[in-house]
DNA sequence: TTAATAAATAATAAAAATTACGAATAAAAG
DNA sequence: CTTTTATTCGTAATTTTTATTATTTATTAA
């Protein structure tokens, strides 16, 4: 499912910041473009290492950080740590995430318009709304496991 | 502002799981009870070390993890890493968090009742809704800084 | 097309965060 | 008080992240 548009979007995002388009960055863009879910720094490292056996952690972390700061990638923290995914810039939406396999679907409902008055007079910058549950496959698996315990 | 009720609530939470109430756990409960904001594992370690100079990381991490799993503490990830706070179990609510000082105020609005139909037929378990911004103090500080750049 | 340049990477090393484990300790139950 | 065993200590190993310097390479322009 290599999504050429996404690759190009990521690379354009990098170029628009005046960044150099290196082979490593191209490969990273392609990896995230073809990945539905989330990738940890280690996942990225393991993948990149196939083509660039001596790739440095520095390269991985620097690019993940810079691309996140630039809004091209999004950072999430799961229970097992930091992960990244290509951010969908098409339109604002939120995520419904499987707690087992991390498979994610998006939905358009955003609670912010309904938030008329917040306490504390904060200068609101952004928000985070995520719903967690089990996808049909993992929910079925879970039911089986609890019915037949070892 | 040591909140005795909160200390007791945390300790009861531990006892109800059949856990032993050790001196270290009592001190940890007291620390979280008197802390408004968030504590990193290191914060906890530094504090506990004052009374128990030889305290082990194992003790810190194990208790933080177990207390979070039991719902007594809540886990959050900020940009500077994993942090914990005593979870407010009084009633369901969400948080408005200062991106600079982490000062947090709560509000009661919950978007879930309005979420009529979600895609993917997930078995919804829980959700997370947080609003990020700057508290009045930090917002003012930021405006000053941007007006007079070095 | 090639040379100049500055950014990005490799190849470490160091630092920080987290987890692991046997021996010692102490909370809880009888 | 004694026993039982969960918990902690003391230490080390592992994992994750950041830092540093020499080298490489993408880009610009001559």
């Amino acid at each position: 499912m290599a999504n050429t548009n996404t690759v190009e979007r990521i690379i354009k995002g990098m170029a628009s910041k005046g960044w150099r388009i290196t082979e490593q960055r191209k490969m990273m863009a392609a990896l995230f473009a073809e990945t539905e879910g989330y990738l940890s720094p280690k996942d990225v490292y393991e993948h990149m290492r196939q083509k660039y056996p001596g790739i440095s952690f520095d390269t991985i972390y620097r690019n993940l950080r810079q691309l996140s700061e630039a809004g091209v990638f999004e950072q999430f923290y799961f229970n097992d740590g930091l992960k990244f995914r290509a951010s969908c810039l098409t339109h604002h939406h939120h995520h419904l995430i499987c707690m087992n396999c991390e498979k994610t679907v998006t939905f358009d409902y955003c609670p912010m318009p309904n938030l008329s008055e917040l306490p504390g007079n904060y200068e609101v910058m952004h928000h985070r709304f995520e719903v967690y549950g089990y996808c049909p496959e993992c929910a079925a698996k879970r039911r089986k496991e609890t019915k037949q315990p070892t």
Side-chain angles (χ1 to χ4, degrees), chain A:
Chain A
M1 305 291 155
N3 185 337
T4 310
N5 289 333
T6 307
V7 178
E8 279 170 11
R9 188 175 58 72
I10 295 173
I11 291 184
K12 269 184 193 166
M14 298 194 278
S16 73
K17 303 276 172 189
W19 299 353
R20 292 185 177 172
I21 310 307
T22 64
E23 291 301 314
Q24 290 87 341
R25 280 177 171 164
K26 275 192 234 175
M27 187 178 183
M28 195 178 277
L31 170 61
F32 276 92
E34 74 189 1
T35 300
E36 287 276 335
Y38 302 83
L39 295 166
S40 70
K42 197 178 177 185
D43 293 334
V44 179
Y45 173 72
E46 292 300 338
H47 184 263
M48 301 281 288
R49 205 156 65 117
Q50 295 172 14
K51 192 166 174 186
Y52 303 97
I55 193 163
S56 165
F57 287 114
D58 196 39
T59 303
I60 306 290
Y61 279 98
R62 182 170 20 77
N63 281 307
L64 288 175
R65 177 170 43 76
Q66 288 180 347
L67 283 161
S68 296
E69 283 171 1
V72 181
F73 289 173
E74 281 180 296
Q75 260 189 11
F76 291 86
Y77 273 97
F78 292 96
N79 286 337
D80 59 342
L82 179 63
K83 300 200 176 178
F84 296 82
R85 62 175 288 167
S87 63
C88 354
L89 299 170
T90 44
H91 67 297
H92 183 72
H93 60 248
H94 294 284
H95 293 135
L96 172 54
I97 302 167
C98 178
M99 293 164 71
N100 184 247
C101 70
E102 295 176 2
K103 188 168 69 181
T104 300
V105 297
T106 64
F107 57 90
D108 290 343
Y109 176 80
C110 178
M112 292 310 281
N114 291 331
L115 260 187
S116 48
E117 230 169 285
L118 283 173
N121 281 313
Y122 278 47
E123 188 176 320
V124 171
M125 299 301 283
H126 65 96
H127 61 283
R128 161 174 208 146
F129 178 40
E130 286 147 25
V131 182
Y132 294 88
Y134 294 99
C135 71
E137 290 76 25
C138 292
K141 223 179 289 170
R142 259 169 56 89
R143 274 192 293 273
K144 234 187 250 171
E145 279 165 8
T146 43
K147 270 181 192 165
Q148 304 171 344
T150 49

